[in-house]
Amino acid sequence: MRISELPREQFEGYELVFSYDSRAFYDLRLRSTENVFSAEFVRTPCPLIHKEFVDKLFAPYWDDPRAFGLWDGQKLLAVMEITPENWNKRLRVTNLFVQDGYRRRGYGTLLMTKAREMAKAMGCRALILETQSCNSAAISFYLSQGLSFMGFNACEYSNQDVEKHEIRIEMGCLF
């Protein structure tokens, strides 16, 4: 196995087809009073949820993105894309993808270790990424990597994110 940087000129626009199944979501419970604002996410079992979406590497809205691939010979097994957030000294993981059939073999851990090492080498104060409240497997994985809940946006994707149980969650770690 080797991790190598993916050349932008070769991989710009490269499609990653994300797919996952979940039997739990994190239910958002909000409380607002004059003196208290609170939010709680409660892991809640549910019937099978299947999600699928496509993203592309080196999207034009990221500042100076870099992508890395984990290879087994000529086969690309996993991809991580990062971008610095220079204004606040954070490194953002914009994509973390492991090919279906190769998950739960440590490839995501290898890429997250690389992201942490790069963030520290770049003098970043934090590593951050986005996931969704309905992606319980990803949340469990990020928690196992030492990331913790950093925040959320209850209307990032639509005005029905809360009802759909698909809320943007920010997870990260501080250095």
Side-chain angles (χ1 to χ4, degrees), residues 25-88:
F25 60 86
Y26 285 81
D27 191 31
L28 175 61
R29 299 179 185 169
L30 293 173
R31 180 174 159 226
S32 289
T33 68
E34 185 176 333
N35 297 316
V36 176
F37 296 127
S38 68
E40 181 179 49
F41 284 87
V42 178
R43 190 172 193 280
T44 305
C46 65
L48 182 68
I49 297 170
H50 177 77
K51 296 286 182 176
E52 195 167 300
F53 61 95
V54 176
D55 203 358
K56 294 181 181 180
L57 292 179
F58 299 104
Y61 44 82
W62 297 122
D63 293 330
D64 196 25
R66 294 173 69 188
F68 298 86
L70 182 64
W71 300 84
D72 184 9
Q74 297 297 313
K75 185 169 176 98
L76 183 59
L77 303 180
V79 175
M80 174 186 66
E81 183 183 50
I82 58 170
T83 190
E85 294 179 342
N86 295 319
W87 70 277
N88 62 6

Side-chain angles (χ1 to χ4, degrees), residues 5-173:
E5 189 156 0
L6 303 178
R8 184 178 189 139
E9 60 277 0
Q10 184 179 348
F11 285 89
E12 188 164 8
Y14 183 88
E15 287 190 352
L16 302 173
V17 180
F18 290 87
S19 175
Y20 66 89
D21 293 326
S22 182
R23 292 199 180 274
F25 60 86
Y26 285 81
D27 191 31
L28 175 61
R29 299 179 185 169
L30 293 173
R31 180 174 159 226
S32 289
T33 68
E34 185 176 333
N35 297 316
V36 176
F37 296 127
S38 68
E40 181 179 49
F41 284 87
V42 178
R43 190 172 193 280
T44 305
C46 65
L48 182 68
I49 297 170
H50 177 77
K51 296 286 182 176
E52 195 167 300
F53 61 95
V54 176
D55 203 358
K56 294 181 181 180
L57 292 179
F58 299 104
Y61 44 82
W62 297 122
D63 293 330
D64 196 25
R66 294 173 69 188
F68 298 86
L70 182 64
W71 300 84
D72 184 9
Q74 297 297 313
K75 185 169 176 98
L76 183 59
L77 303 180
V79 175
M80 174 186 66
E81 183 183 50
I82 58 170
T83 190
E85 294 179 342
N86 295 319
W87 70 277
N88 62 6
K89 305 273 296 163
R90 300 187 312 184
L91 184 66
R92 177 171 291 279
V93 175
T94 55
N95 279 304
L96 184 64
F97 173 79
V98 178
Q99 294 280 358
D100 205 16
Y102 293 92
R103 295 176 183 160
R104 305 186 77 73
R105 296 186 186 185
Y107 302 144
T109 297
L110 290 171
L111 291 170
M112 286 300 295
T113 298
K114 172 117 180 126
R116 240 185 323 279
E117 290 169 356
M118 291 184 71
K120 289 177 182 176
M122 294 167 65
C124 294
R125 65 180 181 82
L127 178 70
I128 194 97
L129 55 77
E130 164 191 347
T131 191
Q132 294 74 38
S133 61
C134 56
N135 195 346
S136 61
I139 292 169
S140 293
F141 171 71
Y142 297 134
L143 291 170
S144 79
Q145 297 300 300
L147 277 63
S148 58
F149 176 80
M150 295 284 175
F152 71 98
N153 184 330
C155 63
E156 181 75 14
Y157 312 117
S158 76
N159 288 349
Q160 291 78 39
D161 291 354
V162 174
E163 294 81 11
K164 291 179 178 179
H165 308 294
E166 191 170 4
I167 299 162
R168 177 184 173 144
I169 293 178
E170 295 279 313
M171 297 186 76
C173 61

